[in-house]
Amino acid sequence: MDADRAKEPTDGVDQPADEAAATPVPEYVQELVKKARAASGRLASLSTAVKNQALRAMADGLDAKADDILTANAEDVEAFGTGKAKQAMADRLRLTTARIAEMASAIREIAALPDPVGQTIKTWRRPNGMQVSRVRVPIGVIGIIYESRPNVTADSAALCLKSGNVCVLRGGSEAIRSNTAIAGVLAEAAEQAGVPAGAITFIERTDREVVTELLKQDQFIDLIIPRGGESLMKTVTEQSRIPVIKHDKGVCHIYVDADADVAMAKKVCVNAKVQRPSTCNAMETLLVHQMAARSVLPELIAELTAAGVEVRGCPKTLQVCPDIKPAADDDYGREFLALVLAVKIVKNLEEAMEHIARYGSRHTEAIITNDYGRALRFVREVDASAVLVNASTRLNDGNQFGLGAEIGISTTRIHARGPMGLEELTCSKFVVLGSGQIRE
């Protein structure tokens, strides 16, 4: 398998893997980013037809090489280990035939989406007769630094290609075999379809120094998008010379209001915690109005426990459900990424929102209520990339919102917030059409 991957053009560097590994890190990184920048202009000018053809070829390549990718992934999972403390990360790392098929399907969906490049956002005419337009253009070269999930490689490469951006991908060492295999398939298929070499650039070396060096390349990279844990976010935000859009942790809450529909609350909360607990939009803390606690919590906690969830409650919650574990102070504000849930009974909506403001990560927050006024107040006052009413936090997702695949969920306020799809991977430029106008 290693020999097969070595034959594939995974990162656009025309040198053997052992020779690349012997190259000092600064030179290795600069060679990659220079080639990426050189590809940027040509990629930005590709027609929609060529980009879509390349995307479909990339999806077909994943289907055709699924066995090879699974073999590489099995090596990663075995090397990583599957102890209890590693379960959440291992779930993110593990690929299956179905997950590879989902990756390919997501790429085909991106191919079917409208091309944002060249779209006119707004046009107006000035008193002197000149016409001013704002038009979408690619950002340029985007560096994506991520951990664990191999599907990020496919999603990022496809979204960047469709939006006319070159991507420089640096995945975590725990998924290096999987990411190398996926990136090799994607780059080869794209180049054969007419995409310039270097448009999908994958960094095969796992040296920590690579990230430090990559973050210095402001001459060649226009934007950094990190996806991972607190340590990665801290490293990137502190060291980057390049603008950063963060895709930070998800400490997501659901607040069950006093008059919430009990059946709806159970359905939504179980889905938000159980459907895939290792994701950033899974519910980590459940807040329940004191007037609804006895009608909602016993059945809800019983269903959660039956699904394997370890429930940790505040003293008031323990009075209603004495068989659960007591919650520690640091359980609130914690991203478990596992079948663990913190529960707290609150006096009213105000206390719920105060709790969210104190412990939330501004990622995804939800309210279950039948009161229109309280729903509107929650939507207005709660600060998050997405606020949901009577719906699961798991729905904060580019595909679920109709954006197609996403490059991540931005918790940053500037440029893009929430799921980042194709439009969020563009910026704009002004186009002015005149007839000889000058400034007086």
Side-chain angles (χ1 to χ4, degrees):
M1 186 57 208
D2 288 338
D4 291 341
R5 290 201 301 273
K7 295 175 184 177
E8 295 172 342
T10 58
D11 61 8
V13 179
D14 298 323
Q15 56 183 345
D18 55 349
E19 188 176 327
T23 305
V25 167
E27 286 84 347
Y28 170 75
V29 171
Q30 286 188 16
E31 185 174 354
L32 289 180
V33 297
K34 285 178 180 178
K35 191 163 187 177
R37 172 56 71 185
S40 178
R42 287 177 289 159
L43 178 61
S45 63
L46 283 185
S47 68
T48 301
V50 171
K51 291 189 289 186
N52 288 344
Q53 180 182 351
L55 289 165
R56 289 190 289 267
M58 289 158 61
D60 291 344
L62 290 179
D63 286 335
K65 296 291 183 70
D67 289 343
D68 292 346
I69 294 169
L70 288 173
T71 299
N73 181 251
E75 294 173 7
D76 283 332
V77 172
E78 182 179 2
F80 183 72
T82 55
K84 186 174 181 180
K86 296 182 175 181
Q87 285 180 355
M89 187 76 82
D91 179 62
R92 292 181 172 212
L93 174 60
R94 186 177 294 105
L95 290 176
T96 63
T97 300
R99 287 186 180 180
I100 293 175
E102 288 172 3
M103 289 160 53
S105 176
I107 293 177
R108 293 187 179 99
E109 288 176 6
I110 292 169
L113 290 171
D115 189 344
V117 178
Q119 288 181 356
T120 300
I121 302 169
K122 185 179 180 181
T123 299
W124 62 98
R125 190 172 296 278
R126 299 294 295 141
N128 65 0
M130 71 180 185
Q131 178 179 292
V132 183
S133 299
R134 189 189 288 268
V135 178
R136 292 193 187 280
V137 295
I139 291 172
V141 179
I142 300 177
I144 303 165
I145 304 171
Y146 54 103
E147 297 172 339
S148 302
R149 289 186 182 175
N151 67 290
V152 175
T153 302
D155 290 347
S156 299
L159 284 163
C160 284
L161 194 155
K162 183 64 180 267
S163 58
N165 295 292
V166 168
C167 61
V168 178
L169 304 170
R170 204 283 185 178
S173 58
E174 69 282 348
I176 186 60
R177 300 170 186 84
S178 308
N179 289 332
T180 301
I182 293 167
V185 170
L186 300 178
E188 182 177 34
E191 289 175 28
Q192 289 180 353
V195 171
I200 300 173
T201 293
F202 179 73
I203 297 177
E204 292 188 7
R205 289 178 58 166
T206 58
D207 318 49
R208 291 191 176 186
E209 187 186 350
V210 165
V211 172
T212 303
E213 192 62 34
L214 191 66
L215 297 175
K216 298 177 183 177
Q217 305 302 319
D218 52 327
Q219 285 185 299
F220 304 103
I221 298 177
D222 300 290
L223 176 67
I224 293 289
I225 298 177
R227 293 186 60 178
E230 290 184 64
S231 177
L232 174 64
M233 294 297 166
K234 188 173 187 292
T235 297
V236 171
T237 54
E238 288 181 355
Q239 297 185 13
S240 183
R241 297 179 186 172
I242 306 164
V244 175
I245 293 181
K246 289 197 298 182
H247 295 248
D248 218 336
K249 65 181 180 178
V251 181
C252 306
H253 300 76
I254 292 181
Y255 166 59
V256 179
D257 198 20
D259 65 347
D261 181 280
V262 175
M264 179 193 293
K266 284 172 53 182
K267 180 176 70 172
V268 170
C269 292
V270 170
N271 176 265
K273 181 72 257 181
V274 174
Q275 197 257 347
R276 197 170 177 193
S278 64
T279 59
C280 60
N281 55 12
M283 174 179 62
E284 302 291 24
T285 298
L286 170 65
L287 304 173
V288 181
H289 192 289
Q290 61 186 2
M291 299 299 293
R294 293 195 179 276
S295 61
V296 171
L297 283 177
E299 290 187 15
L300 173 55
I301 288 178
E303 193 166 339
L304 289 167
T305 302
V309 178
E310 178 185 307
V311 180
R312 304 174 183 178
C314 69
K316 290 182 179 180
T317 304
L318 292 170
Q319 292 175 9
V320 178
C321 301
D323 294 334
I324 65 173
K325 291 186 176 182
D329 290 342
D330 62 359
D331 284 333
Y332 301 111
R334 185 172 171 188
E335 187 181 32
F336 296 107
L337 298 174
L339 288 172
V340 182
L341 177 68
V343 180
K344 182 178 177 62
I345 293 175
V346 295
K347 291 185 294 185
N348 49 34
L349 174 64
E350 287 74 16
E351 186 179 346
M353 293 194 296
E354 287 170 5
H355 183 99
I356 291 169
R358 179 178 178 183
Y359 294 105
S361 60
R362 299 179 175 86
H363 191 290
T364 311
E365 309 293 355
I367 182 173
I368 310 298
T369 185
N370 283 321
D371 188 285
Y372 181 74
R374 287 198 289 272
L376 285 184
R377 186 176 173 197
F378 189 89
V379 167
R380 284 196 307 267
E381 297 184 25
V382 169
D383 181 17
S385 78
V387 181
L388 298 92
V389 177
N390 296 332
S392 170
T393 57
R394 288 284 291 122
L395 294 169
N396 186 11
D397 171 85
N399 192 44
Q400 295 295 320
F401 284 179
L403 306 176
E406 65 182 33
I407 210 160
I409 296 176
S410 170
T411 53
T412 306
R413 291 178 178 275
I414 297 175
H415 177 71
R417 196 179 191 199
M420 287 187 65
L422 291 173
E423 288 188 2
E424 288 73 25
L425 290 174
T426 63
C427 56
S428 64
K429 69 179 179 183
F430 288 100
V431 176
V432 177
L433 302 179
S435 55
Q437 288 86 347
I438 61 173
R439 184 164 182 170
E440 301 293 343

